[in-house]
Amino acid sequence: MLHTIRRNMAFFLVLCISMTWLVPLSGARAADYNPDTDRQETVEYEGYLVKLDTNGYQPEVLRLLMEQELLNYVAMDVKGSKENYPRVAGVAALEVNKIEESVEMLKGQKKVPYEFRTTVVKGLHTLEEFEQIGKWLEGADKYFLQSYQESENLLDSAAGFGAFSEQELEKMAEKARKYIARVEVRGVE
């Protein structure tokens, strides 16, 4: 399998457990992909799988990468329910419709495997919110609730942010399972 990917997509090679090579694309550099205007040197590779980690805020880039068959897997962050999204993302004027477009695009196709995931943070999320997220993502292939991992470089625990217990995360997952067949909790220590 031969694909062309631009050098400025900031990719890293990772050896997966299955012993296949994976080229993950993430961050703003991956979202810069524009085959019409980009004149930068390209990198050809053979036999690598390409995973896109995205927040879904640029559905036009996601659509282009999928149309050009450059992706083997997509992992999209869903920060919260539609109503709570701007608050959780920390962007008051966030255009949630762009994220909705990316969600619908992934759910509406069967060619590229994908997952949705939410990093669940005490102080930002509630149990009830996962019923709303489940309704929004209904029909999705996979949805993962990821336990927030505290770090001095991330959210301030003094401000009330922290990790939920495994039992609390499982209750949230149960809310989403009403609408999505495969819902799992990961990252619980």
Side-chain angles (χ1 to χ4, degrees):
M1 174 186 223
L2 182 65
H3 289 295
T4 302
I5 291 194
R6 295 178 329 36
R7 185 167 300 191
N8 74 350
M9 288 178 120
F11 61 84
F12 304 92
L13 298 178
V14 176
L15 181 60
C16 295
I17 294 171
S18 66
M19 299 305 289
T20 38
W21 285 93
L22 175 72
V23 181
L25 306 176
S26 61
R29 302 299 245 154
D32 289 340
Y33 183 72
N34 186 338
D36 297 326
T37 59
D38 193 341
R39 303 282 183 243
Q40 296 210 4
E41 184 178 347
T42 62
V43 176
E44 291 187 345
Y45 67 94
E46 186 173 346
Y48 296 110
L49 300 177
V50 179
K51 174 189 175 205
L52 177 66
D53 290 293
T54 182
N55 63 13
Y57 202 69
Q58 294 189 332
E60 64 282 356
V61 174
L62 176 60
R63 180 177 295 104
L64 183 62
L65 290 170
M66 287 175 40
E67 285 173 355
Q68 293 189 358
E69 299 181 0
L70 293 176
L71 301 176
N72 298 96
Y73 194 83
V74 176
M76 183 176 155
D77 293 325
V78 173
K79 306 281 185 208
S81 64
K82 291 185 228 182
E83 299 76 17
N84 196 26
Y85 220 101
R87 180 177 157 279
V88 174
V91 181
L94 186 78
E95 296 175 56
V96 178
N97 62 312
K98 290 182 176 186
I99 294 151
E100 290 177 287
E101 185 178 343
S102 291
V103 165
E104 293 307 315
M105 185 185 323
L106 288 170
K107 288 187 341 182
Q109 58 83 41
K110 296 296 179 198
K111 193 166 189 176
V112 179
Y114 66 92
E115 70 180 58
F116 295 114
R117 61 193 183 193
T118 300
T119 300
V120 187
V121 182
K122 191 176 280 191
L124 293 178
H125 297 102
T126 65
L127 173 64
E128 296 75 27
E129 184 171 7
F130 289 88
E131 178 106 19
Q132 297 168 337
I133 294 171
K135 287 179 183 176
W136 180 19
L137 301 180
E138 187 169 10
D141 291 344
K142 294 175 267 196
Y143 178 49
F144 294 97
L145 282 71
Q146 301 177 151
S147 180
Y148 170 71
Q149 303 297 314
E150 295 192 28
S151 167
E152 63 185 58
N153 298 327
L154 297 176
L155 298 173
D156 184 2
S157 60
F161 300 121
F164 284 97
S165 71
E166 184 174 3
Q167 294 78 18
E168 291 170 313
L169 290 168
E170 280 300 331
K171 286 180 184 177
M172 293 170 179
E174 280 304 313
K175 293 279 188 186
R177 282 187 191 112
K178 295 177 187 176
Y179 308 95
I180 306 164
R182 182 173 173 200
V183 178
E184 296 179 23
V185 173
R186 62 183 173 197
V188 180
E189 296 178 7

